[in-house]
Amino acid sequence: MFEGIVAAISLLAAAVAAAAGGGATPAPGDGTLSLVGSNITAHRKFSCTFARAPTDCGFRVQEKARGRASIVNMGRDGGTALRLQTRPGDQNVASSGKMERTDVYLSQEDTGCYEGREQVWEHSVLFPDDFAMPTWQMYVIFDFHNSAPGPGQANFHVNLGGRGNENGDLIFRGYGGAKNPGGEFRATIGKPRKNVWYDFVYHVRWSSRGDGFFRAWVNGVMKLEHRGPTLYAGQGCYLKLANYHTPVCDPYPGCTGPASSVIHDRVIRYDVLAK
């Protein structure tokens, strides 16, 4: 489906994108990719569909026990995908503290996230039957994490629940600027549904200054358009596919939530060439 140096974002049909006023349309093969009615020249630099193992394509695993990250025989593009499962007690994983975590991540180099870079990303997510649907609990399923260690917020999240969003909506949430955490930007995606593929597309300019931007689509519909910082000063970022959350139970703390899984597939990166 995604052959060639430059690939169209073909999961988002042109008619849907046009009707929604956003999304991506098929490229003619010369490097021109249509996003929000504008032509950009982009090269596909990274693509992963998890055909063999969670560590395909340079991904690294953060898990409490071997096998929490695994390959399942279902996929958005092809017959396989990545399953990230947490079980009760999967805490203190890569500085998660009391939150439970099974994540995979790319290096900053493989992410290509540096000051001044412009990119387009695609990825797909499905919430299977055994996903523990949160209400107020913080639940992160994807992020571009800032490159410097220490406390603070990642530069961009796809998450459910959490402060200011106690009704369990799926949201975008980002930060950037001179300090961590910097100015926040966010948008609501809507109520999550199980066993439905969510196809995400991002067009981003990584910058700690006012010339940055972040545009995001879900299943062909633009949900976020932010102009302003997308990095912290002096930092870059790296990509994480996540299952990272407060135990989904009440009253918390003092309760134990169920096991929970998230399915990830189709991670694709395009680098946008200078106009």
Side-chain angles (χ1 to χ4, degrees), residues 62-64 85-86 90-91 93-96 99-103 145 240 243-245:
Q62 297 172 330
E63 59 186 351
K64 187 72 170 182
Q85 183 191 55
T86 54
D90 283 0
Q91 301 171 339
V93 178
S95 302
S96 70
M99 295 182 70
E100 297 172 347
R101 163 175 279 158
T102 300
D103 292 357
H145 199 287
K240 299 193 80 174
N243 185 350
Y244 175 50
H245 59 92

Side-chain angles (χ1 to χ4, degrees), residues 97-207:
K98 293 182 179 180
M99 295 182 70
E100 297 172 347
R101 163 175 279 158
T102 300
D103 292 357
V104 300
Y105 68 98
L106 292 174
S107 67
Q108 183 181 357
E109 181 179 5
D110 285 340
T111 304
C113 177
Y114 299 91
E115 185 81 35
R117 298 281 183 90
E118 185 176 344
Q119 299 178 325
V120 175
W121 284 90
E122 298 180 76
H123 70 104
S124 295
V125 172
L126 180 142
F127 303 110
D129 287 333
D130 65 338
F131 174 71
M133 192 71 71
T135 52
W136 63 267
Q137 295 90 355
M138 173 61 74
Y139 206 122
V140 179
I141 64 168
F142 176 93
D143 57 281
F144 287 107
H145 199 287
N146 53 306
S147 59
Q153 298 289 338
N155 293 111
F156 183 79
H157 311 73
V158 181
N159 71 261
L160 299 96
R163 181 184 59 82
N165 188 47
E166 283 77 17
N167 58 1
D169 281 336
L170 190 62
I171 68 168
F172 292 129
R173 181 167 58 98
Y175 301 86
K179 61 181 182 178
N180 182 1
E184 182 183 77
F185 57 95
R186 66 163 61 205
T188 299
I189 300 168
K191 295 294 184 185
R193 293 192 294 156
K194 291 188 177 183
N195 298 309
V196 173
W197 281 106
Y198 289 87
D199 299 325
F200 296 90
V201 177
Y202 309 125
H203 182 197
V204 54
R205 187 176 195 275
W206 298 114
S207 176

Side-chain angles (χ1 to χ4, degrees), residues 206-219:
W206 298 114
S207 176
S208 59
R209 299 180 293 272
D211 60 348
F213 62 80
F214 206 115
R215 300 164 183 149
W217 296 259
V218 184
N219 293 345

